[in-house]
């Protein structure tokens, strides 16, 4: 299992165990993490799973693709260089210990 920590805007930290291949959005929803809505179910049709990848994991995760970057234009909160849609990041062993900071709002 791979450990991922979600940090809500209020500072609340939720650390969960995830199976390889699951997306950050799925993991957050399965573990009732506040701040990830994922209204489109991961079909890259909304921006309600917006998160900020901790700088230590940015090189491993990489940047948003063209479609994802376009969707991020609709994010409710500030888009930063570390912004990604959590539905587009599949968990792998190299992401063990990853931290994802969540914005104040998704809609």
């Amino acid at each position: 299992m791979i450990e991922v920590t979600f940090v809500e805007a209020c500072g609340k930290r939720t650390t969960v165990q995830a199976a390889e291949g699951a997306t950050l959005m799925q993991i957050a929803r399965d573990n009732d993490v506040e701040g990830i809505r994922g209204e489109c179910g991961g079909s890259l049709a909304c921006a309600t799973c917006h998160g900020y990848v901790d700088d230590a994991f940015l090189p491993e995760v990489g940047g948003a693709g063209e479609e994802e970057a376009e969707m991020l234009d609709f994010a409710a909160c500030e888009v930063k260089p570390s912004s990604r849609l959590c539905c587009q990041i599949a968990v792998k062993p190299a992401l063990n210990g990853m931290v994802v900071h969540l914005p104040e709002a998704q809609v």
Side-chain angles (χ1 to χ4, degrees):
M1 296 298 271
I2 299 157
E3 189 173 276
V4 177
T5 299
F6 295 93
V7 182
E8 295 175 39
C10 67
K12 178 183 174 190
R13 299 173 72 86
T14 303
T15 300
V16 299
Q17 299 294 316
E20 184 173 356
T23 67
L24 292 175
M25 183 206 69
Q26 292 168 325
I27 297 161
R29 288 176 61 180
D30 289 349
N31 289 280
D32 299 319
V33 173
E34 294 290 325
I36 295 286
R37 296 181 69 155
E39 291 177 353
C40 74
S43 63
L44 199 57
C46 73
T48 61
C49 66
H50 178 204
Y52 306 114
V53 175
D54 191 82
D55 290 345
F57 291 91
L58 278 176
E60 187 63 42
V61 171
E66 186 176 331
E67 277 186 83
E68 183 180 352
E70 288 175 13
M71 231 34 273
L72 281 166
D73 287 340
F74 298 99
C77 286
E78 177 186 8
V79 175
K80 302 176 182 181
S82 62
S83 288
R84 292 293 310 270
L85 295 180
C86 290
C87 68
Q88 298 300 298
I89 301 173
V91 175
K92 56 187 176 183
L95 298 180
N96 189 43
M98 178 182 205
V99 177
V100 180
H101 300 270
L102 303 177
E104 291 182 30
Q106 293 287 358
V107 291

mmCIF file of all heavy atoms in Angstrom, residues 6 8 12 14 16 25-36 102:
data_model
loop_
_atom_site.group_PDB
_atom_site.id
_atom_site.type_symbol
_atom_site.label_atom_id
_atom_site.label_comp_id
_atom_site.label_asym_id
_atom_site.label_seq_id
_atom_site.Cartn_x
_atom_site.Cartn_y
_atom_site.Cartn_z
ATOM 1 N N PHE A 6 -3.595 14.062 2.563
ATOM 2 C CA PHE A 6 -4.330 15.208 2.040
ATOM 3 C C PHE A 6 -4.392 16.250 3.147
ATOM 4 O O PHE A 6 -4.714 15.923 4.288
ATOM 5 C CB PHE A 6 -5.750 14.800 1.636
ATOM 6 C CG PHE A 6 -5.797 13.824 0.492
ATOM 7 C CD1 PHE A 6 -5.830 12.461 0.719
ATOM 8 C CD2 PHE A 6 -5.799 14.280 -0.819
ATOM 9 C CE1 PHE A 6 -5.871 11.555 -0.332
ATOM 10 C CE2 PHE A 6 -5.833 13.384 -1.883
ATOM 11 C CZ PHE A 6 -5.870 12.019 -1.643
ATOM 12 N N GLU A 8 -6.219 19.705 4.120
ATOM 13 C CA GLU A 8 -7.293 20.640 3.803
ATOM 14 C C GLU A 8 -6.822 22.068 4.039
ATOM 15 O O GLU A 8 -5.850 22.302 4.764
ATOM 16 C CB GLU A 8 -8.510 20.339 4.670
ATOM 17 C CG GLU A 8 -9.114 18.979 4.383
ATOM 18 C CD GLU A 8 -10.242 18.634 5.327
ATOM 19 O OE1 GLU A 8 -11.037 19.535 5.677
ATOM 20 O OE2 GLU A 8 -10.322 17.454 5.724
ATOM 21 N N LYS A 12 -6.306 20.582 8.452
ATOM 22 C CA LYS A 12 -6.586 19.196 8.831
ATOM 23 C C LYS A 12 -5.886 18.244 7.871
ATOM 24 O O LYS A 12 -6.006 18.372 6.658
ATOM 25 C CB LYS A 12 -8.084 18.931 8.830
ATOM 26 C CG LYS A 12 -8.430 17.492 9.182
ATOM 27 C CD LYS A 12 -9.923 17.232 9.101
ATOM 28 C CE LYS A 12 -10.210 15.765 9.320
ATOM 29 N NZ LYS A 12 -11.617 15.448 9.015
ATOM 30 N N THR A 14 -5.278 14.301 6.561
ATOM 31 C CA THR A 14 -5.847 12.965 6.510
ATOM 32 C C THR A 14 -4.867 12.088 5.737
ATOM 33 O O THR A 14 -4.599 12.339 4.558
ATOM 34 C CB THR A 14 -7.221 12.963 5.803
ATOM 35 O OG1 THR A 14 -8.095 13.871 6.477
ATOM 36 C CG2 THR A 14 -7.822 11.572 5.805
ATOM 37 N N VAL A 16 -4.003 8.387 4.268
ATOM 38 C CA VAL A 16 -4.707 7.174 3.857
ATOM 39 C C VAL A 16 -3.735 6.214 3.177
ATOM 40 O O VAL A 16 -2.663 6.604 2.708
ATOM 41 C CB VAL A 16 -5.878 7.508 2.911
ATOM 42 C CG1 VAL A 16 -6.898 8.397 3.597
ATOM 43 C CG2 VAL A 16 -5.406 8.172 1.642
ATOM 44 N N MET A 25 -8.109 11.160 -6.710
ATOM 45 C CA MET A 25 -9.513 11.491 -6.531
ATOM 46 C C MET A 25 -10.274 10.310 -5.941
ATOM 47 O O MET A 25 -11.032 10.459 -4.985
ATOM 48 C CB MET A 25 -10.163 11.902 -7.853
ATOM 49 C CG MET A 25 -11.622 12.326 -7.706
ATOM 50 S SD MET A 25 -12.588 12.104 -9.214
ATOM 51 C CE MET A 25 -12.661 10.329 -9.329
ATOM 52 N N GLN A 26 -10.057 9.113 -6.482
ATOM 53 C CA GLN A 26 -10.729 7.917 -5.971
ATOM 54 C C GLN A 26 -10.370 7.673 -4.509
ATOM 55 O O GLN A 26 -11.242 7.382 -3.688
ATOM 56 C CB GLN A 26 -10.320 6.686 -6.790
ATOM 57 C CG GLN A 26 -10.825 6.678 -8.202
ATOM 58 C CD GLN A 26 -10.150 5.596 -9.036
ATOM 59 O OE1 GLN A 26 -8.966 5.291 -8.853
ATOM 60 N NE2 GLN A 26 -10.896 5.004 -9.951
ATOM 61 N N ILE A 27 -9.104 7.808 -4.216
ATOM 62 C CA ILE A 27 -8.618 7.577 -2.856
ATOM 63 C C ILE A 27 -9.270 8.554 -1.888
ATOM 64 O O ILE A 27 -9.747 8.168 -0.815
ATOM 65 C CB ILE A 27 -7.084 7.716 -2.805
ATOM 66 C CG1 ILE A 27 -6.427 6.649 -3.667
ATOM 67 C CG2 ILE A 27 -6.567 7.661 -1.381
ATOM 68 C CD1 ILE A 27 -5.001 6.979 -4.047
ATOM 69 N N ALA A 28 -9.316 9.831 -2.258
ATOM 70 C CA ALA A 28 -9.912 10.851 -1.397
ATOM 71 C C ALA A 28 -11.393 10.574 -1.183
ATOM 72 O O ALA A 28 -11.884 10.624 -0.046
ATOM 73 C CB ALA A 28 -9.700 12.233 -1.993
ATOM 74 N N ARG A 29 -12.098 10.266 -2.235
ATOM 75 C CA ARG A 29 -13.536 10.010 -2.113
ATOM 76 C C ARG A 29 -13.807 8.757 -1.296
ATOM 77 O O ARG A 29 -14.708 8.732 -0.458
ATOM 78 C CB ARG A 29 -14.174 9.918 -3.493
ATOM 79 C CG ARG A 29 -14.250 11.297 -4.169
ATOM 80 C CD ARG A 29 -14.779 11.257 -5.561
ATOM 81 N NE ARG A 29 -16.149 10.738 -5.584
ATOM 82 C CZ ARG A 29 -16.858 10.600 -6.681
ATOM 83 N NH1 ARG A 29 -16.344 10.942 -7.845
ATOM 84 N NH2 ARG A 29 -18.076 10.118 -6.639
ATOM 85 N N ASP A 30 -13.035 7.710 -1.515
ATOM 86 C CA ASP A 30 -13.215 6.458 -0.777
ATOM 87 C C ASP A 30 -12.946 6.621 0.716
ATOM 88 O O ASP A 30 -13.433 5.840 1.529
ATOM 89 C CB ASP A 30 -12.302 5.359 -1.327
ATOM 90 C CG ASP A 30 -12.718 4.857 -2.699
ATOM 91 O OD1 ASP A 30 -13.833 5.207 -3.163
ATOM 92 O OD2 ASP A 30 -11.921 4.124 -3.317
ATOM 93 N N ASN A 31 -12.149 7.632 1.062
ATOM 94 C CA ASN A 31 -11.787 7.853 2.462
ATOM 95 C C ASN A 31 -12.428 9.111 3.051
ATOM 96 O O ASN A 31 -11.988 9.601 4.083
ATOM 97 C CB ASN A 31 -10.258 7.912 2.587
ATOM 98 C CG ASN A 31 -9.646 6.557 2.380
ATOM 99 O OD1 ASN A 31 -9.633 5.728 3.288
ATOM 100 N ND2 ASN A 31 -9.156 6.296 1.171
ATOM 101 N N ASP A 32 -13.474 9.599 2.400
ATOM 102 C CA ASP A 32 -14.245 10.750 2.886
ATOM 103 C C ASP A 32 -13.387 11.976 3.188
ATOM 104 O O ASP A 32 -13.618 12.678 4.173
ATOM 105 C CB ASP A 32 -15.073 10.367 4.119
ATOM 106 C CG ASP A 32 -16.079 9.268 3.820
ATOM 107 O OD1 ASP A 32 -16.696 9.326 2.739
ATOM 108 O OD2 ASP A 32 -16.222 8.351 4.651
ATOM 109 N N VAL A 33 -12.412 12.231 2.335
ATOM 110 C CA VAL A 33 -11.584 13.423 2.500
ATOM 111 C C VAL A 33 -12.400 14.628 2.049
ATOM 112 O O VAL A 33 -12.879 14.674 0.916
ATOM 113 C CB VAL A 33 -10.280 13.313 1.677
ATOM 114 C CG1 VAL A 33 -9.503 14.621 1.712
ATOM 115 C CG2 VAL A 33 -9.432 12.157 2.181
ATOM 116 N N GLU A 34 -12.569 15.582 2.954
ATOM 117 C CA GLU A 34 -13.278 16.810 2.614
ATOM 118 C C GLU A 34 -12.416 17.612 1.637
ATOM 119 O O GLU A 34 -11.200 17.644 1.760
ATOM 120 C CB GLU A 34 -13.523 17.648 3.869
ATOM 121 C CG GLU A 34 -14.466 17.006 4.852
ATOM 122 C CD GLU A 34 -15.899 16.968 4.349
ATOM 123 O OE1 GLU A 34 -16.328 17.912 3.649
ATOM 124 O OE2 GLU A 34 -16.579 15.975 4.659
ATOM 125 N N GLY A 35 -13.039 18.228 0.676
ATOM 126 C CA GLY A 35 -12.298 19.097 -0.228
ATOM 127 C C GLY A 35 -12.067 18.520 -1.613
ATOM 128 O O GLY A 35 -11.614 19.219 -2.503
ATOM 129 N N ILE A 36 -12.378 17.257 -1.808
ATOM 130 C CA ILE A 36 -12.301 16.646 -3.141
ATOM 131 C C ILE A 36 -13.716 16.211 -3.492
ATOM 132 O O ILE A 36 -14.279 15.325 -2.856
ATOM 133 C CB ILE A 36 -11.362 15.418 -3.174
ATOM 134 C CG1 ILE A 36 -9.928 15.821 -2.907
ATOM 135 C CG2 ILE A 36 -11.486 14.679 -4.510
ATOM 136 C CD1 ILE A 36 -9.228 16.540 -4.047
ATOM 137 N N LEU A 102 -5.120 20.871 -0.417
ATOM 138 C CA LEU A 102 -6.392 21.128 -1.063
ATOM 139 C C LEU A 102 -6.758 22.604 -0.990
ATOM 140 O O LEU A 102 -6.481 23.264 0.003
ATOM 141 C CB LEU A 102 -7.486 20.271 -0.408
ATOM 142 C CG LEU A 102 -7.187 18.772 -0.433
ATOM 143 C CD1 LEU A 102 -8.284 18.008 0.296
ATOM 144 C CD2 LEU A 102 -7.033 18.265 -1.851
#
